[in-house]
Amino acid sequence: MNICKMVARSLESLPSIPTKFTKSLPCDIYTASVTEAEQTSLMRTPRPVHNAVYSHVYPESAPDPTLLAISKTACQSLDLDPNEITKDDQPFVSVFSGNRTLPDTRPWSLCYAGHQFGYFAGQLGDGRAVSLFETVNSRGEKWELQLKGAGRTPYSRFGDGYAVLRSSIREFLISEYMNALDVPTTRALCLIGTSREVYREDGPTPGQPERGAIVTRMAPSWLRFGNFEIFYSRDDFDNVRRLTDYVIDHVVKDEPNGNGNKYARFFRTVTRKTARMVADWQAIGFNHGVLNTDNMSLLGLTMDYGPFQIMDYYDPSYVCNHSDSTGRYSFHRQPSVCIFNLIKLSVPLFELIGAGEKAESIVFPDLENETKEGVTDEKTRETYRNEGRNFVEDLLNVEFKQSFMEHLQRKMNSKIGLVEHNDGDVDDVIIPLLDWLTAYHVEYHRFYRSLSNYKITAEGEDADAQKAINEWLEIVTEDESQVEASKEALKPWLALYRHRLLKENRPDTERKKQMDSVNPRFVLRNSIAEEVIEAFEKNDEQEAKRILNVCLEACVDPFKSKYDDELVESWINKAVPKKDMRCSCSS
């Protein structure tokens, strides 16, 4: 990996002061005056928080923090030099373990609600996440840095606010892996282990403590669908509008040339970003696992990694989350779940969208001031709601599907080496291939990686198909007895594929290079992540860190034809596990 030379920034120079987010939006009144010197127990007392987007919360002190890994690519995004950091990592560790707060910063945690498994769950919020500060890099990109596992907040409910090492390793690695695959995602700067003992009911050894850890996560914004739901659930429409105005101005930039008012354009932008995100998931075989509205980013970023899985064998009905007994968040349902979640985001916005150019003149009622003057009458508001609802229904029925299918076709065409857009490719080439993968539960990633070996020779269609299934392609089925049958069943598709490639008339070598740049050779399987986790249980700390960092290096560059470390090569070449590698929501 080539990390360009940069002018290293100091930690103290990172924060943008004042913080635009906390300066612009309402704070929990019980923590508004909190400082590092003057803290309050209400900072860590689970309770309802009203009329606020966030609470000021300082991280709890972490015992014996140790830097386990740092992402060089994430450092690059912050203009930090990872080599300088590792020469003396204590200043860095003290900040990103939560043990030291940078000057003039006041950390915060978000207040939001959410629909979980289809049902409204009321106030949720950042129960163990604390945002430290905002920063802007030399390219003008804004990042908000956040600690996950930093202790209790007003939103911890029955939780302890901590994170265990096993789930922290998974989130750290997958964040950087997804970024390398060019999938919209939040990022991970570093992973810090602590000596804190953390108990989880469904941990690997019931009743026994696990090691605590803290992940420093990065995103341009951590605002999510649930931030709007919390105000709507309390009939607080003034704060719905205030939050939406902030997001339009500072997070999801307005597209003034689009149709509708700024609120309609905002929702259209979020819809398109969400459609593209989930199309990426379907293309790479990613199953999120907990696709609740409180885990949905306004920027269309994959966020809040829990029981996720990169599928091994292609199975549209696959459910990666042990806790999802109904299969609500199965792989093939992800696009429709995203539509459901977008509907839940849209409901608080109906009036603002439907009012058109009159949106600014709406005067919402105040539940605490029944004598408020000039309140817009209910009949007018109902008219606006109906107009907004109609707009959203049309948008989701037409534009979501269009954006999703266009992006999915681009991604799938790229995976199979097609560069020319053809309206018939989805029905004629892509769907038949997916049907074959489904019928035989074929290992998804090895097949696509090996497909770049396909060649068009003078020997003809039948000979090329025979060579493909016997020599060029790696076809592994979940049921080993189905391998030969799957190979024979693939021949008709190979004929279609050959004819489609002939229309483009590209050299095989050019196509192979392009396909190998989008189909990863290294796949972050659950079984590999589990090996990394077990390394911290079975080996000394230095060896475990080495294994973690070897895996990280493969995650940030997953397309290499050969890795220097034999451990990565062994991961790539070993048999795909048959055992159930699903996870639960526990972390």
Side-chain angles (χ1 to χ4, degrees), residues 517-547:
S517 71
V518 296
N519 292 308
R521 184 163 174 264
F522 173 80
V523 179
L524 183 61
R525 304 182 190 277
N526 271 9
S527 55
I528 295 174
E530 188 65 26
E531 279 194 39
V532 176
I533 292 165
E534 288 179 355
F536 283 88
E537 301 167 359
K538 299 178 178 178
N539 300 286
D540 62 69
E541 184 92 338
Q542 285 306 115
E543 176 61 10
K545 285 170 62 175
R546 186 192 73 81
I547 293 171

Side-chain angles (χ1 to χ4, degrees), residues 294-398:
D294 54 295
N295 296 332
M296 293 287 292
S297 162
L298 296 173
L299 290 169
L301 305 175
T302 315
M303 72 188 311
D304 290 348
Y305 293 99
F308 70 86
Q309 186 170 354
I310 305 283
M311 278 196 305
D312 294 322
Y313 300 97
Y314 191 74
D315 177 4
S317 63
Y318 189 76
V319 181
C320 68
N321 182 356
H322 262 310
S323 306
D324 185 4
S325 58
T326 65
R328 177 180 177 82
Y329 297 145
S330 61
F331 178 73
H332 74 100
R333 288 182 175 174
Q334 291 181 139
S336 59
V337 170
C338 284
I339 292 175
F340 173 90
N341 291 345
L342 283 163
I343 291 171
K344 296 307 176 185
L345 169 65
S346 73
V347 173
L349 304 172
F350 279 165
E351 290 181 52
L352 294 173
I353 291 171
E357 298 309 312
K358 298 179 182 178
E360 302 293 342
S361 63
I362 300 175
V363 179
F364 294 112
D366 186 342
L367 297 179
E368 297 179 1
N369 180 13
E370 295 182 0
T371 62
K372 184 178 180 179
E373 296 182 356
V375 172
T376 302
D377 64 273
E378 179 57 28
K379 184 177 180 180
T380 300
R381 292 183 64 198
E382 182 62 25
T383 300
Y384 292 161
R385 284 194 289 271
N386 289 334
E387 289 295 321
R389 184 180 295 108
N390 292 337
F391 172 87
V392 167
E393 288 177 355
D394 290 343
L395 184 71
L396 294 179
N397 286 332
V398 178

Side-chain angles (χ1 to χ4, degrees), residues 421-456:
H421 179 84
N422 187 320
D423 290 337
D425 283 344
V426 172
D427 291 334
D428 297 340
V429 183
I430 296 170
I431 289 178
L433 177 59
L434 294 176
D435 286 344
W436 173 78
L437 289 163
T438 302
Y440 294 97
H441 286 197
V442 177
E443 202 289 323
Y444 193 68
H445 313 282
R446 291 183 178 179
F447 172 78
Y448 278 109
R449 180 74 183 194
S450 68
L451 187 59
S452 69
N453 296 325
Y454 181 84
K455 301 176 183 69
I456 297 175

Side-chain angles (χ1 to χ4, degrees), residues 19 21 70 90 108 111 180 194 218 239 259 266 378 431 510 516 518 574:
T19 301
F21 175 82
I70 184 169
Q90 285 310 300
W108 67 94
C111 177
T194 73
M218 299 162 44
N239 271 324
N259 296 328
F266 158 67
E378 179 57 28
I431 289 178
E510 179 184 315
D516 286 349
V518 296
K574 72 166 46 176

